[in-house]
């Protein structure tokens, strides 16, 4: 179960060029096999971008 604040690493088939430079974090607790994630490096933007992904897209979760 992924919890708010966990660091997320995506499987290679779900990444774009440059994603390795970003640190993705869970914005909320996992619910129904989905999780909202954002890149910490983009937090300073007026609106912090967020995307909802299926947990099958995640290769590694690091508790902080």
């Amino acid at each position: 179960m992924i919890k708010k604040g966990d660091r997320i690493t995506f499987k290679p088939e779900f990444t774009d060029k440059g994603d390795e430079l970003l640190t993705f974090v869970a914005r909320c607790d996992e619910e129904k096999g989905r999780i909202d994630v954002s890149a910490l490096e983009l937090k300073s933007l007026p609106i912090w971008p967020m995307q909802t992904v299926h947990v099958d897209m995640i290769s590694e979760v690091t508790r902080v």
Side-chain angles (χ1 to χ4, degrees), residues 1-4 6 8 10 25-37 50-58 61:
M1 183 80 166
I2 301 170
K3 298 288 186 183
K4 181 177 181 178
D6 289 350
I8 305 294
F10 290 100
V25 63
R27 297 276 303 267
C28 60
D29 293 345
E30 177 185 337
E31 184 177 342
K32 298 181 183 177
R34 295 183 300 261
I35 189 77
D36 295 333
V37 299
M50 177 176 61
Q51 61 184 349
T52 302
V53 299
H54 197 275
V55 294
D56 290 343
M57 299 170 68
I58 297 171
V61 176

Side-chain angles (χ1 to χ4, degrees), residues 7-61:
R7 301 296 193 263
I8 305 294
T9 304
F10 290 100
K11 293 178 181 176
E13 59 266 31
F14 299 111
T15 60
D16 295 317
K17 185 177 179 180
D19 281 355
E20 67 279 357
L21 303 174
L22 300 173
T23 305
F24 292 97
V25 63
R27 297 276 303 267
C28 60
D29 293 345
E30 177 185 337
E31 184 177 342
K32 298 181 183 177
R34 295 183 300 261
I35 189 77
D36 295 333
V37 299
S38 293
L40 285 176
E41 292 79 3
L42 303 178
K43 191 173 183 176
S44 62
L45 294 175
I47 298 175
W48 191 14
M50 177 176 61
Q51 61 184 349
T52 302
V53 299
H54 197 275
V55 294
D56 290 343
M57 299 170 68
I58 297 171
S59 66
E60 184 179 340
V61 176

